Amino acid sequence: MAKLLLKEVAILLVARFDSIQRLENALIVSELLCEKINANVYLWEFDSYNTGLYERLKPQNVSYKFITDDDPIFHRTRHLNEMIEQVDKKYVAIWDIDVIAPINQIYHSVKFLEDGADFVYPYNHFFLDTSEELRYEFIRTKDISLLEQHKIFMNELYPPNPVGGAFFANTFSYIKCGKENEQFYGWGIEDGERYSRWICNKMNIKRVDGPLFHLSHPRGSNSNTFNEEDSLIKHRIRLSTNSK
């Protein structure tokens, strides 16, 4: 398949590398995006100090920026909003540093946007965790078909209607709907609240047939809710969106 020409798309990734596996995931994800797609790929790293590892190893075509952030909790929603303010493209993709979508699904996602959709998920029903073993084989081979052939062995994430991992958006519609909700501080539930907000605003939302793959990694403090109280607060924020 020829390299996709998506010059009107900005693919945005925000990162804090809390394990070597997440650094490896970000490198392989950004490498595949740059190899298969002619788009604008941006990765901003937020941390208390810059190791320089991603910058030295990254694909040449990734626009990289390091921002000093001493907060031990990764405020992803705020950082994504900071990024979107710098984007001047018609379409954006918000992309987790650990996810892989087959290239044909990316193509159909952008086609939906060009045909008038406001938001598009580049997968339908199945958000699948690879497992450490399949992750290793994928990093070694860079063969997306290997993941597709082994779907039966993977665990589903957030069934039956996952809305995280990656999505494409008309930039105007994304901004109109409030971008990311910065009340969500740290990991968890913001994906569901965002989706509910789009529904409440009667946005045109599409999904593309096929799976999304999550490259397994250790779950540190920024991949879990802090405690039960934190989880309850986030659920209340989401419920307030649903009630509007």
Side-chain angles (χ1 to χ4, degrees), residues 208-227:
V208 175
D209 287 338
L212 184 71
F213 299 104
H214 176 266
L215 301 177
S216 300
H217 61 83
R219 295 233 170 228
S221 61
N222 283 299
S223 297
N224 285 290
T225 52
F226 317 139
N227 51 48

PDB file of all heavy atoms in Angstrom, residues 208-227:
ATOM      1  N   VAL A 208     -14.856   3.038  12.337  1.00  0.00           N
ATOM      2  CA  VAL A 208     -14.319   2.254  11.229  1.00  0.00           C
ATOM      3  C   VAL A 208     -14.214   0.792  11.662  1.00  0.00           C
ATOM      4  O   VAL A 208     -13.754   0.500  12.772  1.00  0.00           O
ATOM      5  CB  VAL A 208     -12.930   2.782  10.810  1.00  0.00           C
ATOM      6  CG1 VAL A 208     -12.307   1.898   9.747  1.00  0.00           C
ATOM      7  CG2 VAL A 208     -13.050   4.223  10.303  1.00  0.00           C
ATOM      8  N   ASP A 209     -14.643  -0.111  10.807  1.00  0.00           N
ATOM      9  CA  ASP A 209     -14.556  -1.539  11.122  1.00  0.00           C
ATOM     10  C   ASP A 209     -13.109  -1.963  11.325  1.00  0.00           C
ATOM     11  O   ASP A 209     -12.221  -1.565  10.565  1.00  0.00           O
ATOM     12  CB  ASP A 209     -15.180  -2.371   9.998  1.00  0.00           C
ATOM     13  CG  ASP A 209     -16.695  -2.280   9.994  1.00  0.00           C
ATOM     14  OD1 ASP A 209     -17.276  -1.951  11.048  1.00  0.00           O
ATOM     15  OD2 ASP A 209     -17.291  -2.528   8.932  1.00  0.00           O
ATOM     16  N   GLY A 210     -12.891  -2.789  12.342  1.00  0.00           N
ATOM     17  CA  GLY A 210     -11.557  -3.301  12.617  1.00  0.00           C
ATOM     18  C   GLY A 210     -11.144  -3.017  14.048  1.00  0.00           C
ATOM     19  O   GLY A 210     -11.792  -2.235  14.757  1.00  0.00           O
ATOM     20  N   PRO A 211     -10.058  -3.629  14.513  1.00  0.00           N
ATOM     21  CA  PRO A 211      -9.617  -3.475  15.898  1.00  0.00           C
ATOM     22  C   PRO A 211      -8.598  -2.348  16.080  1.00  0.00           C
ATOM     23  O   PRO A 211      -8.003  -1.855  15.117  1.00  0.00           O
ATOM     24  CB  PRO A 211      -8.952  -4.819  16.177  1.00  0.00           C
ATOM     25  CG  PRO A 211      -8.335  -5.166  14.845  1.00  0.00           C
ATOM     26  CD  PRO A 211      -9.281  -4.652  13.794  1.00  0.00           C
ATOM     27  N   LEU A 212      -8.425  -1.941  17.323  1.00  0.00           N
ATOM     28  CA  LEU A 212      -7.312  -1.091  17.739  1.00  0.00           C
ATOM     29  C   LEU A 212      -6.480  -1.903  18.713  1.00  0.00           C
ATOM     30  O   LEU A 212      -7.032  -2.584  19.579  1.00  0.00           O
ATOM     31  CB  LEU A 212      -7.824   0.182  18.409  1.00  0.00           C
ATOM     32  CG  LEU A 212      -6.769   1.221  18.819  1.00  0.00           C
ATOM     33  CD1 LEU A 212      -6.177   1.888  17.591  1.00  0.00           C
ATOM     34  CD2 LEU A 212      -7.392   2.284  19.739  1.00  0.00           C
ATOM     35  N   PHE A 213      -5.156  -1.842  18.571  1.00  0.00           N
ATOM     36  CA  PHE A 213      -4.267  -2.655  19.408  1.00  0.00           C
ATOM     37  C   PHE A 213      -3.528  -1.774  20.414  1.00  0.00           C
ATOM     38  O   PHE A 213      -3.003  -0.712  20.058  1.00  0.00           O
ATOM     39  CB  PHE A 213      -3.259  -3.406  18.541  1.00  0.00           C
ATOM     40  CG  PHE A 213      -3.891  -4.360  17.574  1.00  0.00           C
ATOM     41  CD1 PHE A 213      -3.988  -4.033  16.224  1.00  0.00           C
ATOM     42  CD2 PHE A 213      -4.411  -5.566  18.008  1.00  0.00           C
ATOM     43  CE1 PHE A 213      -4.582  -4.912  15.323  1.00  0.00           C
ATOM     44  CE2 PHE A 213      -5.014  -6.447  17.121  1.00  0.00           C
ATOM     45  CZ  PHE A 213      -5.096  -6.113  15.773  1.00  0.00           C
ATOM     46  N   HIS A 214      -3.492  -2.244  21.654  1.00  0.00           N
ATOM     47  CA  HIS A 214      -2.767  -1.567  22.725  1.00  0.00           C
ATOM     48  C   HIS A 214      -1.525  -2.377  23.060  1.00  0.00           C
ATOM     49  O   HIS A 214      -1.615  -3.552  23.433  1.00  0.00           O
ATOM     50  CB  HIS A 214      -3.663  -1.438  23.961  1.00  0.00           C
ATOM     51  CG  HIS A 214      -2.979  -0.845  25.146  1.00  0.00           C
ATOM     52  ND1 HIS A 214      -2.383  -1.607  26.126  1.00  0.00           N
ATOM     53  CD2 HIS A 214      -2.781   0.451  25.507  1.00  0.00           C
ATOM     54  CE1 HIS A 214      -1.864  -0.822  27.037  1.00  0.00           C
ATOM     55  NE2 HIS A 214      -2.092   0.431  26.696  1.00  0.00           N
ATOM     56  N   LEU A 215      -0.357  -1.759  22.928  1.00  0.00           N
ATOM     57  CA  LEU A 215       0.906  -2.431  23.251  1.00  0.00           C
ATOM     58  C   LEU A 215       1.076  -2.438  24.767  1.00  0.00           C
ATOM     59  O   LEU A 215       1.140  -1.393  25.406  1.00  0.00           O
ATOM     60  CB  LEU A 215       2.079  -1.706  22.591  1.00  0.00           C
ATOM     61  CG  LEU A 215       2.022  -1.611  21.054  1.00  0.00           C
ATOM     62  CD1 LEU A 215       3.199  -0.796  20.525  1.00  0.00           C
ATOM     63  CD2 LEU A 215       1.994  -2.995  20.418  1.00  0.00           C
ATOM     64  N   SER A 216       1.117  -3.626  25.335  1.00  0.00           N
ATOM     65  CA  SER A 216       1.148  -3.784  26.791  1.00  0.00           C
ATOM     66  C   SER A 216       2.325  -3.037  27.416  1.00  0.00           C
ATOM     67  O   SER A 216       3.390  -2.890  26.804  1.00  0.00           O
ATOM     68  CB  SER A 216       1.231  -5.265  27.154  1.00  0.00           C
ATOM     69  OG  SER A 216       0.115  -5.969  26.656  1.00  0.00           O
ATOM     70  N   HIS A 217       2.115  -2.582  28.649  1.00  0.00           N
ATOM     71  CA  HIS A 217       3.185  -1.915  29.400  1.00  0.00           C
ATOM     72  C   HIS A 217       2.837  -1.965  30.874  1.00  0.00           C
ATOM     73  O   HIS A 217       1.664  -2.142  31.243  1.00  0.00           O
ATOM     74  CB  HIS A 217       3.348  -0.459  28.935  1.00  0.00           C
ATOM     75  CG  HIS A 217       2.121   0.379  29.129  1.00  0.00           C
ATOM     76  ND1 HIS A 217       1.789   0.981  30.327  1.00  0.00           N
ATOM     77  CD2 HIS A 217       1.132   0.715  28.257  1.00  0.00           C
ATOM     78  CE1 HIS A 217       0.660   1.650  30.185  1.00  0.00           C
ATOM     79  NE2 HIS A 217       0.234   1.505  28.951  1.00  0.00           N
ATOM     80  N   PRO A 218       3.820  -1.819  31.748  1.00  0.00           N
ATOM     81  CA  PRO A 218       3.526  -1.775  33.184  1.00  0.00           C
ATOM     82  C   PRO A 218       2.634  -0.590  33.502  1.00  0.00           C
ATOM     83  O   PRO A 218       2.723   0.465  32.864  1.00  0.00           O
ATOM     84  CB  PRO A 218       4.916  -1.601  33.826  1.00  0.00           C
ATOM     85  CG  PRO A 218       5.878  -2.060  32.791  1.00  0.00           C
ATOM     86  CD  PRO A 218       5.267  -1.743  31.472  1.00  0.00           C
ATOM     87  N   ARG A 219       1.753  -0.754  34.494  1.00  0.00           N
ATOM     88  CA  ARG A 219       0.810   0.312  34.850  1.00  0.00           C
ATOM     89  C   ARG A 219       1.311   1.011  36.100  1.00  0.00           C
ATOM     90  O   ARG A 219       1.183   0.507  37.213  1.00  0.00           O
ATOM     91  CB  ARG A 219      -0.578  -0.275  35.078  1.00  0.00           C
ATOM     92  CG  ARG A 219      -1.145  -0.858  33.789  1.00  0.00           C
ATOM     93  CD  ARG A 219      -2.527  -0.270  33.528  1.00  0.00           C
ATOM     94  NE  ARG A 219      -2.956  -0.637  32.176  1.00  0.00           N
ATOM     95  CZ  ARG A 219      -3.459   0.213  31.311  1.00  0.00           C
ATOM     96  NH1 ARG A 219      -3.542   1.494  31.627  1.00  0.00           N
ATOM     97  NH2 ARG A 219      -3.856  -0.180  30.128  1.00  0.00           N
ATOM     98  N   GLY A 220       1.890   2.202  35.895  1.00  0.00           N
ATOM     99  CA  GLY A 220       2.341   3.011  37.015  1.00  0.00           C
ATOM    100  C   GLY A 220       1.253   3.937  37.512  1.00  0.00           C
ATOM    101  O   GLY A 220       0.069   3.785  37.189  1.00  0.00           O
ATOM    102  N   SER A 221       1.634   4.952  38.288  1.00  0.00           N
ATOM    103  CA  SER A 221       0.657   5.859  38.889  1.00  0.00           C
ATOM    104  C   SER A 221      -0.104   6.665  37.852  1.00  0.00           C
ATOM    105  O   SER A 221      -1.216   7.132  38.108  1.00  0.00           O
ATOM    106  CB  SER A 221       1.362   6.812  39.864  1.00  0.00           C
ATOM    107  OG  SER A 221       2.331   7.589  39.170  1.00  0.00           O
ATOM    108  N   ASN A 222       0.470   6.845  36.669  1.00  0.00           N
ATOM    109  CA  ASN A 222      -0.202   7.609  35.635  1.00  0.00           C
ATOM    110  C   ASN A 222      -0.948   6.731  34.643  1.00  0.00           C
ATOM    111  O   ASN A 222      -1.338   7.181  33.557  1.00  0.00           O
ATOM    112  CB  ASN A 222       0.795   8.516  34.913  1.00  0.00           C
ATOM    113  CG  ASN A 222       1.141   9.736  35.743  1.00  0.00           C
ATOM    114  OD1 ASN A 222       0.277  10.538  36.063  1.00  0.00           O
ATOM    115  ND2 ASN A 222       2.394   9.850  36.145  1.00  0.00           N
ATOM    116  N   SER A 223      -1.172   5.473  35.016  1.00  0.00           N
ATOM    117  CA  SER A 223      -2.019   4.575  34.237  1.00  0.00           C
ATOM    118  C   SER A 223      -3.097   3.952  35.116  1.00  0.00           C
ATOM    119  O   SER A 223      -3.687   2.940  34.768  1.00  0.00           O
ATOM    120  CB  SER A 223      -1.172   3.460  33.600  1.00  0.00           C
ATOM    121  OG  SER A 223      -0.246   3.987  32.687  1.00  0.00           O
ATOM    122  N   ASN A 224      -3.329   4.576  36.266  1.00  0.00           N
ATOM    123  CA  ASN A 224      -4.352   4.117  37.206  1.00  0.00           C
ATOM    124  C   ASN A 224      -4.929   5.321  37.936  1.00  0.00           C
ATOM    125  O   ASN A 224      -4.292   6.382  38.026  1.00  0.00           O
ATOM    126  CB  ASN A 224      -3.749   3.164  38.253  1.00  0.00           C
ATOM    127  CG  ASN A 224      -3.470   1.787  37.680  1.00  0.00           C
ATOM    128  OD1 ASN A 224      -4.399   1.044  37.378  1.00  0.00           O
ATOM    129  ND2 ASN A 224      -2.202   1.450  37.525  1.00  0.00           N
ATOM    130  N   THR A 225      -6.156   5.166  38.467  1.00  0.00           N
ATOM    131  CA  THR A 225      -6.681   6.202  39.353  1.00  0.00           C
ATOM    132  C   THR A 225      -5.910   6.151  40.667  1.00  0.00           C
ATOM    133  O   THR A 225      -5.399   5.109  41.066  1.00  0.00           O
ATOM    134  CB  THR A 225      -8.183   5.994  39.617  1.00  0.00           C
ATOM    135  OG1 THR A 225      -8.391   4.649  40.066  1.00  0.00           O
ATOM    136  CG2 THR A 225      -8.995   6.238  38.358  1.00  0.00           C
ATOM    137  N   PHE A 226      -5.827   7.311  41.347  1.00  0.00           N
ATOM    138  CA  PHE A 226      -4.999   7.393  42.546  1.00  0.00           C
ATOM    139  C   PHE A 226      -5.600   6.580  43.682  1.00  0.00           C
ATOM    140  O   PHE A 226      -4.907   5.859  44.396  1.00  0.00           O
ATOM    141  CB  PHE A 226      -4.853   8.860  43.009  1.00  0.00           C
ATOM    142  CG  PHE A 226      -4.604   9.832  41.904  1.00  0.00           C
ATOM    143  CD1 PHE A 226      -5.234  11.065  41.912  1.00  0.00           C
ATOM    144  CD2 PHE A 226      -3.758   9.527  40.849  1.00  0.00           C
ATOM    145  CE1 PHE A 226      -5.015  11.980  40.892  1.00  0.00           C
ATOM    146  CE2 PHE A 226      -3.541  10.427  39.836  1.00  0.00           C
ATOM    147  CZ  PHE A 226      -4.170  11.657  39.855  1.00  0.00           C
ATOM    148  N   ASN A 227      -6.918   6.729  43.869  1.00  0.00           N
ATOM    149  CA  ASN A 227      -7.603   6.091  44.983  1.00  0.00           C
ATOM    150  C   ASN A 227      -9.105   6.112  44.713  1.00  0.00           C
ATOM    151  O   ASN A 227      -9.558   6.620  43.685  1.00  0.00           O
ATOM    152  CB  ASN A 227      -7.262   6.799  46.304  1.00  0.00           C
ATOM    153  CG  ASN A 227      -7.466   8.307  46.199  1.00  0.00           C
ATOM    154  OD1 ASN A 227      -8.505   8.761  45.715  1.00  0.00           O
ATOM    155  ND2 ASN A 227      -6.483   9.071  46.660  1.00  0.00           N
TER     156      ASN A 227
END
